[in-house]
Amino acid sequence: MLSRVKTLSVNQFTLITALFYVGVFNIPLFQIVQQGIEKQGEVNYLFIATIPLFLIFALSFIFSLFSVKYLLKPFFIIVTLISSSVFFAALQYGVVFDYGMIENTVQTNSAEALTYLNWSSILNFTLTGLLPALLIFKADIVYKPFVKELLHKLAFMFAMLAGIAVIGFFYYQNYVAFGRNNDQMKRYIVPTYAIGSMIKYVKVNYFQEPLVYKVQGKDAKNLTLDHNDKPNLVVVVVGETARAHNYEYYGYDKPTNAHTKAYDMIAFKDTESCGTATAVSLPCMFSSMDREDYDARKAQAQDTAMDVLDHAGISLDWLDNDSGCKGVCDRVKHINIDLNSDPELCDGHYCYDQVLLNELDKRLAEGVTKDTLIVLHIIGSHGPTYYLRYPEAHRKFVPDCQRSDIQNCSDEELMNTYDNTILYSDYIIAQVISRLEAQQNKADTALLYVSDHGESLGESGMYLHGAPYAIAPDEQIKIPMLAWLSADFASDNGLDKQCLRDHATKGGFSHDNLFSSLLGLMNVSTEVYRKEKDLFATCRVK
């Protein structure tokens, strides 16, 4: 970028840097522009030609604010390294770094982060991050005396504003209309959108005064023992990155639910997630707030469904083989699986979800003497290294994609790999049900499975998840939600299973249903319970 220039003025550096950002880092933005053009009937190509010019003028103006002595090099080195990663994520996976993705990235553990490390990402970071950063570091920038430098900078910034004004004068209406029809464009502008999201995250999490903690459901009462001879034992399996599209129960043409088909599963159709990343969806789904009014800060400062169940005296366990419970289980008994705990199931970075069955066996061996709810947080279909989520014995769909740079696999390989993760999760669910059946002389047993969010697998050029909810495709928000009830559980808790099957086919469900559904399943009475949100209330006969 700068290798052919021996010395540069500040304005020259600023303009060259802006040109580089527009020409390289904003390639994903121009792909969105192209998609917008293809949707239009008539296209004003003179207007389209002004878009890169407008971006050059705008970035040059913004960059000028930071092109000052002592700040210039460290600032642009850091921003360039960040922009390189943002660019790669957008180009290869269609990922947008908004507030939710920043939150999800911050909460990602080192083992999870390493799955995104491959030759493609290393090469990109070297060519578009490290090399430009080195050239910035070595650039010989000549600074004029203060007053003269200031005047030159102001003149440059005025020229950039003049360029923006001229474009606006001729094409303002075009920009307004095109921007309204392609609102997602602003999210792909590098580096402004990602940097803005980072600033917002830091402000919200580190500079705002913590909210006063809100206790909910202190009036919670467990009504089960008023009419049941046996305690209830419910296992909630929280899936990771499972999308409804690849579930046989929802019409998929491959046997991805072969293991649970032997059981009388109830599949709730047309279910939507609260978010498109675990850091958002997990606390949201266990919160008393609905997605429309969900606020992450408030969620962190108030009781979750787990806490309300605890107030009612329910015995609780959270067993985690994913990236933690994101605050949901902080005040109840919980275990994060030791990644070195089982040499056959763990490699020090990840464990197969089968390791949770071992922990469940230990918990059940202790005996169930009171109403109990156990949460299994599985790693499920976490990408991009889908092939690491299932053992060789469960590699049923081949050829599969045995690499992390999934964009370089064929569509068939990628889909087979993902389907193997769904099938393996189905195996885990079936194994849990088998264990619950073995407990039926001691307890009334049931299982609820729900995924935190879905996944894009190359549709419309998008991969993985974390898209802003407003523009997220169905692949990222349509999720599976399944239930299994033993005959005694249904009978003793007054639930009509045929009614539930019929109700489940109606659709229109979401994570908003989980909070009250858990309270309803455990027969907990409290003022924070909302009957209209309880999945099972419609079919409760006593």
Side-chain angles (χ1 to χ4, degrees):
M1 181 174 62
L2 306 173
S3 59
R4 295 184 179 180
V5 182
K6 292 184 178 180
T7 62
L8 293 170
S9 69
V10 173
N11 290 341
Q12 286 174 329
F13 171 87
T14 302
L15 181 59
I16 292 172
T17 303
L19 287 168
F20 175 74
Y21 271 67
V22 172
V24 177
F25 290 152
N26 281 281
I27 290 175
L29 167 66
F30 295 120
Q31 292 176 336
I32 300 298
V33 171
Q34 182 179 355
Q35 293 172 15
I37 294 171
E38 292 171 352
K39 291 187 295 184
Q40 289 191 181
E42 295 183 5
V43 180
N44 185 333
Y45 286 101
L46 286 177
F47 154 66
I48 297 299
T50 68
I51 294 178
L53 285 175
F54 184 94
L55 194 56
I56 290 170
F57 294 152
L59 288 183
S60 294
F61 180 85
I62 295 170
F63 287 171
S64 290
L65 299 174
F66 302 94
S67 299
V68 295
K69 196 172 184 178
Y70 304 120
L71 175 63
L72 184 150
K73 287 190 176 183
F75 175 81
F76 284 102
I77 287 174
I78 292 172
V79 172
T80 297
L81 293 175
I82 293 172
S83 298
S84 173
S85 298
V86 171
F87 157 70
F88 182 76
L91 183 67
Q92 296 296 333
Y93 304 121
V95 170
V96 175
F97 274 79
D98 62 349
Y99 181 92
M101 180 54 70
I102 300 299
E103 182 178 39
N104 199 50
T105 301
V106 170
Q107 296 185 20
T108 297
N109 57 41
S110 58
E112 184 177 333
L114 286 174
T115 64
Y116 296 92
L117 192 65
N118 52 60
W119 287 113
S120 295
S121 62
I122 293 172
L123 181 62
N124 168 79
F125 191 66
T126 301
L127 295 179
T128 68
L130 293 177
L131 182 57
L134 178 62
L135 294 175
I136 291 171
F137 177 75
K138 288 182 171 294
D140 185 7
I141 300 173
V142 178
Y143 297 91
K144 300 176 180 64
F146 178 78
V147 175
K148 192 173 182 179
E149 185 68 60
L150 179 61
L151 291 174
H152 276 253
K153 181 180 292 291
L154 291 175
F156 178 78
M157 294 174 72
F158 178 79
M160 297 302 104
L161 286 178
I164 292 172
V166 169
I167 293 174
F169 178 80
F170 288 102
Y171 298 108
Y172 174 76
Q173 293 299 335
N174 298 78
Y175 274 92
V176 171
F178 195 79
R180 185 181 295 119
N181 293 329
N182 302 276
D183 182 64
Q184 71 273 28
M185 281 197 314
K186 63 186 178 184
R187 298 179 172 91
Y188 286 88
I189 299 175
V190 179
T192 54
Y193 195 78
I195 297 297
S197 298
M198 291 177 189
I199 292 172
K200 180 181 178 182
Y201 178 84
V202 171
K203 178 183 177 182
V204 168
N205 289 275
Y206 299 103
F207 290 96
Q208 288 187 349
E209 188 173 340
L211 298 175
V212 176
Y213 192 87
K214 178 183 178 182
V215 176
Q216 297 189 108
K218 285 296 287 185
D219 64 326
K221 182 181 179 182
N222 178 14
L223 304 179
T224 299
L225 297 181
D226 291 350
H227 53 79
N228 287 6
D229 294 328
K230 294 186 292 185
N232 282 336
L233 168 60
V234 176
V235 174
V236 177
V237 180
V238 178
E240 168 67 49
T241 321
R243 68 185 201 178
H245 178 79
N246 291 60
Y247 268 65
E248 189 178 358
Y249 290 123
Y250 301 114
Y252 192 50
D253 60 0
K254 291 164 70 174
T256 52
N257 297 118
H259 299 290
T260 58
K261 290 293 283 290
Y263 300 101
D264 186 16
M265 304 297 293
I266 298 170
F268 293 89
K269 294 186 177 180
D270 191 27
T271 303
E272 295 186 351
S273 65
C274 184
T276 61
T278 306
V280 177
S281 282
L282 195 58
C284 181
M285 63 201 287
F286 282 89
S287 164
S288 60
M289 292 179 280
D290 292 339
R291 190 190 71 79
E292 291 296 332
D293 60 1
Y294 177 73
D295 183 279
R297 289 187 72 227
K298 289 182 181 179
Q300 292 171 0
Q302 67 182 35
D303 282 348
T304 69
M306 300 296 289
D307 297 305
V308 178
L309 292 169
D310 189 42
H311 297 329
I314 307 295
S315 177
L316 300 168
D317 287 272
W318 184 290
L319 309 178
D320 205 297
N321 187 40
D322 199 8
S323 54
C325 70
K326 312 303 182 188
V328 173
C329 65
D330 285 357
R331 292 164 294 279
V332 301
K333 182 182 176 184
H334 59 277
I335 297 172
N336 290 317
I337 296 297
D338 182 352
L339 301 181
N340 294 294
S341 60
D342 189 321
E344 293 185 3
L345 299 175
C346 306
D347 64 1
H349 300 290
Y350 289 102
C351 295
Y352 294 128
D353 282 323
Q354 207 164 332
V355 74
L356 286 171
L357 299 177
N358 298 338
E359 291 297 330
L360 179 61
D361 288 339
K362 294 176 185 177
R363 174 62 185 87
L364 295 178
E366 296 172 2
V368 178
T369 58
K370 59 187 294 191
D371 280 16
T372 299
L373 184 138
I374 301 172
V375 178
L376 305 182
H377 187 195
I378 66 175
I379 198 169
S381 304
H382 197 295
T385 50
Y386 307 115
Y387 70 98
L388 296 179
R389 304 293 164 252
Y390 49 91
E392 180 65 27
H394 292 267
R395 188 184 177 195
K396 301 300 182 183
F397 303 112
V398 291
D400 54 355
C401 176
Q402 296 279 316
R403 55 198 296 177
S404 63
D405 52 339
I406 55 177
Q407 71 279 5
N408 292 318
C409 291
S410 69
D411 292 342
E412 179 189 14
E413 291 171 337
L414 181 55
M415 201 61 69
N416 281 341
T417 307
Y418 185 79
D419 287 341
N420 281 333
T421 69
I422 299 297
L423 182 60
Y424 182 59
S425 293
D426 193 66
Y427 166 78
I428 298 298
I429 295 170
Q431 288 296 306
V432 173
I433 294 175
S434 175
R435 284 159 170 78
L436 291 177
E437 286 186 324
Q439 297 288 320
Q440 290 187 81
N441 291 333
K442 308 171 187 175
D444 291 336
T445 57
L447 174 140
L448 182 65
Y449 168 81
V450 59
S451 180
D452 58 355
H453 55 78
E455 186 86 328
S456 288
L457 297 172
E459 299 87 1
S460 301
M462 297 183 71
Y463 294 86
L464 305 176
H465 53 265
Y469 202 92
I471 64 169
D474 282 351
E475 289 82 8
Q476 295 191 32
I477 63 175
K478 297 291 186 180
I479 55 169
M481 183 157 63
L482 312 173
W484 172 85
L485 311 177
S486 69
D488 283 354
F489 186 96
S491 175
D492 290 346
N493 291 279
L495 292 171
D496 184 333
K497 291 178 70 173
Q498 184 56 50
C499 173
L500 277 173
R501 293 188 200 96
D502 296 338
H503 179 58
T505 62
K506 295 178 181 178
F509 308 108
S510 73
H511 277 162
D512 294 350
N513 295 109
L514 186 64
F515 184 90
S516 290
S517 296
L518 291 178
L519 299 181
L521 267 182
M522 303 307 297
N523 294 309
V524 170
S525 171
T526 170
E527 63 180 7
V528 293
Y529 167 80
R530 291 184 292 168
K531 183 178 180 180
E532 72 276 9
K533 293 292 183 180
D534 184 353
L535 291 166
F536 306 96
T538 301
C539 299
R540 193 165 279 116
V541 295
K542 71 175 181 178

